[in-house]
C-alpha cells in the first residue's frame, strides 16, 4: 500500500539526523513516540536546517522511505505532532500552515 487517505501522519518536532536509515528512523519512532512504526502511520522527519525531509511508513511487507531536499528555502515545520495528509502535502510544497485567525464577532438581529 502506498500512502493512503486515512493514514495518520506523525511529525517529529525536533530535528533528526538525516544520516539515519530506515532502521535508525524506526528505532527513533519506537523510543520517542507512543506509536509503533509498524502501526500503518506515516512518520515525518526534518533536519536541523529544515531543508531536508524524510517520510517513513510500513506497508505490511516492508518499510518505505522517501527523501526530499530543497534547493532553496526551508520547510515551515508545523507545531503539531499530527497532521492530515492534505496539510503534509501543503508543507512539502512550501506552504506555511500558520494562519492568523479572525476574531469572533457577535451579531445581533435588529428589529
Amino acid at each position: 500500500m502506498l500512502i493512503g487517505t486515512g493514514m495518520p501522519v506523525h511529525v517529529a518536532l525536533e530535528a533528526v539526523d538525516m544520516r539515519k536509515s530506515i532502521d535508525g528512523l524506526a528505532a527513533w519512532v519506537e523510543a520517542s513516540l507512543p506509536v509503533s512504526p509498524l502501526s500503518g502511520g506515516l512518520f515525518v522527519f526534518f533536519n536541523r536546517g529544515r531543508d531536508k525531509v524524510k517520510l517513513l511508513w510500513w506497508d505490511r511487507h516492508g518499510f518505505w522511505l522517501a527523501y526530499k531536499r530543497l534547493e532553496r528555502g526551508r520547510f515551515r515545520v508545523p507545531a503539531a505532532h499530527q497532521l492530515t495528509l492534505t496539510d503534509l502535502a501543503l508543507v512539502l510544497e512550501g506552504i506555511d500552515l500558520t494562519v492568523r485567525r479572525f476574531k469572533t464577532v457577535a451579531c445581533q438581529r435588529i428589529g
Side-chain angles (χ1 to χ4, degrees), residues 3-13 29 33 35-36 39-46 53-57 78-92 97:
I3 298 173
T5 55
M7 183 179 283
V9 179
H10 306 279
V11 180
L13 297 181
V29 170
L33 297 176
V35 193
S36 168
S39 67
L42 176 67
F43 300 92
V44 183
F45 308 92
F46 294 95
V53 63
K54 283 189 176 181
L55 308 177
L56 177 73
W57 70 99
H81 277 286
Q82 283 202 272
L83 295 176
T84 64
L85 281 172
T86 302
D87 288 343
L88 176 61
L90 293 173
V91 169
L92 295 178
L97 296 181

Side-chain angles (χ1 to χ4, degrees), residues 13-104:
L13 297 181
E14 56 272 358
V16 174
D17 184 353
M18 286 292 120
R19 294 175 292 182
K20 289 185 185 289
S21 64
I22 289 172
D23 294 331
L25 293 172
W28 187 95
V29 170
E30 285 281 345
S32 304
L33 297 176
V35 193
S36 168
L38 304 175
S39 67
L42 176 67
F43 300 92
V44 183
F45 308 92
F46 294 95
N47 69 330
R48 185 178 315 277
R50 302 293 191 232
D51 63 340
K52 297 178 183 113
V53 63
K54 283 189 176 181
L55 308 177
L56 177 73
W57 70 99
W58 174 261
D59 78 349
R60 297 181 338 191
H61 304 291
F63 280 105
W64 286 87
L65 182 65
Y67 174 74
K68 183 175 184 176
R69 182 190 73 210
L70 295 178
E71 293 301 317
R72 283 184 299 200
R74 295 173 183 231
F75 291 108
R76 302 292 293 203
V77 179
H81 277 286
Q82 283 202 272
L83 295 176
T84 64
L85 281 172
T86 302
D87 288 343
L88 176 61
L90 293 173
V91 169
L92 295 178
E93 285 297 318
I95 297 172
D96 186 357
L97 296 181
T98 59
V99 294
R100 185 176 297 178
R101 305 276 184 208
F102 291 111
K103 291 181 182 178
T104 303

